[in-house]
Amino acid sequence: MHMLLKSLGSLLVGRKIALRLALATFVLSGTVYAAPDQVTNIFKPLSTPAESVYQAALLTMAVCAVIFLIVGGLLAYTTIRFRRRAADDGLEPPQIYGSNQIELAWTVLPVLVVFVLILVTSRTIADVQNKPAAADSLKVTVVGHQWWWEIRYPDLGIVTANEIHVPVSGAAKPRQTFLRLESADVAHSFWVPRLAGKTDLIPNRANMMWIEPKQVGTYLGNCAEYCGTQHARMLLRVIVHEPDDFARWAAAQQQNGAEDPQVKAGRDVFFSTSCVNCHTISGTSARGRFGPDLTHLMSRDTLASGAAPNTPEKLRAWVRDPQTIKDGSLMPNMQLTEQELDQLVSYLLTLK
Ligand code: CUA
């Protein structure tokens, strides 16, 4: 089946055309701050569920292309072959009505085609949905918020935001990551095109999905279900590591928030304002869950779920007035003085 799909695909679509089509139509313009090789593309799957979806899509497109060619070809042929000519006698052609054979053919054939597509699609869905979690698979809980992603590793005791770090799945030793998808407020949808299809995050319900990335790198994704003002800036990245690098990342994330006496003034600003009501810094009294965990804030690439790169300047602008970077963001302007801002940012910068 796999080979058949592949040869059908290359025969009918052609790699170059597929690539151009992909670039023209499916490049996600919402994924800002991405290197060119990070441009996401549903035609370049790099994880088992995304590959299954891609193959089912390829078969569907191939079948549709054949039908299009037959119908379009016949239409073009009749239009040209039987067009009005100068020597026409102006009389109506013979009127023919009813043919059991032809009517039977154009009823039975489409039914068969649809039946084949239903079977292939339901098999793909079942293969992806019914996959049992292996004992060594990584378990991650993803909670959708307006408008950011809370990422929890229950077995590792790690909490982070907007970036999911996972180990690569080797050819010799496949390793899946199972995602438990929840929502803190409204419906969101988890979509990293090169890793898997979309799965919704729905309040009061847990959905499961899994990924099996086969190549180290950064994979971009975004929320794929309209969830309010900043739905478009609810970006997401999956960072795939070699197993050793992943272990190092996990060990670093398990540490408590840094305690640097040099930034005591900034720390005092943080703990004397309502920052602590919404954010957690592990090892401290800040235990808020409404906003992202800040314990290792500076280990992340972006701020505000991909709305800005995580640089000291942007961080300062973000804390000064979040609305200038993400209009509608639920983080309030704390009305800090310029001095307090400098102190606070110098503290946040130590949270690596
Ligand atoms: Cu979250 Cu759209």
Side-chain angles (χ1 to χ4, degrees):
M1 191 65 189
H2 182 96
M3 286 312 294
L4 178 75
L5 289 180
K6 277 239 155 124
S7 47
L8 255 178
S10 47
L11 201 73
L12 290 162
V13 182
R15 282 186 72 89
K16 273 197 178 147
I17 301 174
L19 202 73
R20 254 173 240 154
L21 233 175
L23 284 171
T25 329
F26 287 92
V27 166
L28 296 175
S29 55
T31 47
V32 282
Y33 311 116
D37 63 326
Q38 290 176 349
V39 168
T40 199
N41 186 342
I42 58 167
F43 290 105
K44 286 166 128 190
L46 264 174
S47 163
T48 309
E51 278 161 8
S52 313
V53 172
Y54 171 66
Q55 279 162 14
L58 218 54
L59 176 74
T60 310
M61 284 194 295
V63 168
C64 292
V66 170
I67 295 172
F68 175 78
L69 287 178
I70 293 174
V71 174
L74 284 174
L75 200 62
Y77 172 77
T78 23
T79 312
I80 296 165
R81 172 75 180 76
F82 301 107
R83 69 185 185 279
R84 173 177 285 196
R85 291 164 205 266
D88 278 352
D89 53 13
L91 296 175
E92 269 197 348
Q95 302 295 299
I96 299 161
Y97 175 78
S99 160
N100 283 344
Q101 283 97 326
I102 292 177
E103 283 173 16
L104 205 65
W106 74 41
T107 307
V108 172
L109 273 178
V111 168
L112 285 179
V113 168
V114 169
F115 194 63
V116 167
L117 290 180
I118 289 174
L119 286 183
V120 171
T121 310
S122 38
R123 214 189 84 170
T124 306
I125 293 172
D127 281 353
V128 173
Q129 257 180 11
N130 301 343
K131 170 98 178 165
D136 72 335
S137 59
L138 179 67
K139 290 174 190 66
V140 180
T141 301
V142 179
V143 186
H145 291 257
Q146 284 174 320
W147 292 276
W148 60 283
W149 306 89
E150 178 182 347
I151 316 291
R152 309 183 78 88
Y153 296 72
D155 299 338
L156 300 175
I158 295 172
V159 183
T160 181
N162 309 321
E163 286 181 5
I164 307 180
H165 291 251
V166 301
V168 70
S169 176
K173 195 171 168 292
R175 192 169 179 209
Q176 295 93 32
T177 298
F178 277 77
L179 305 173
R180 182 187 159 91
L181 305 177
E182 300 171 4
S183 171
D185 36 49
V186 298
H188 304 270
S189 184
F190 183 97
W191 192 32
V192 183
R194 298 188 71 185
L195 299 183
K198 299 170 186 170
T199 307
D200 284 0
L201 298 88
I202 296 167
N204 301 316
R205 183 193 157 88
N207 279 341
M208 295 300 295
M209 71 178 290
W210 58 283
I211 54 175
E212 194 182 55
K214 294 171 180 170
Q215 208 169 291
V216 167
T218 300
Y219 298 79
L220 300 177
N222 50 351
C223 183
E225 171 94 29
Y226 183 73
C227 54
T229 321
Q230 286 295 350
H231 155 72
R233 288 206 193 98
M234 193 166 161
L235 307 178
L236 165 75
R237 46 187 67 206
V238 176
I239 296 144
V240 180
H241 299 275
E242 293 294 352
D244 291 351
D245 291 338
F246 175 73
R248 262 193 294 279
W249 173 85
Q253 294 286 316
Q254 284 165 337
Q255 304 299 314
N256 280 341
E259 292 282 356
D260 183 347
Q262 289 192 332
V263 292
K264 188 183 175 300
R267 195 180 185 283
D268 291 345
V269 173
F270 187 89
F271 285 90
S272 62
T273 60
S274 50
C275 301
V276 290
N277 296 341
C278 294
H279 296 284
T280 293
I281 296 176
S282 68
T284 73
S285 59
R287 299 236 155 271
R289 290 264 319 251
F290 190 70
D293 188 296
L294 299 180
T295 311
H296 299 285
L297 168 68
M298 296 316 292
S299 72
R300 306 201 279 259
D301 289 345
T302 68
L303 286 173
S305 209
N310 191 5
T311 61
E313 299 74 44
K314 288 287 182 189
L315 180 61
R316 192 180 191 282
W318 169 248
V319 179
R320 190 168 194 266
D321 185 3
Q323 307 301 318
T324 58
I325 288 180
K326 199 166 174 177
D327 191 21
S329 158
L330 301 185
M331 172 152 146
N333 180 339
M334 303 302 294
Q335 312 288 345
L336 299 175
T337 65
E338 296 298 314
Q339 192 198 4
E340 286 171 327
L341 264 174
D342 288 336
Q343 291 168 337
L344 178 58
V345 169
S346 64
Y347 169 58
L348 293 176
L349 290 176
T350 64
L351 301 174
K352 291 179 179 149

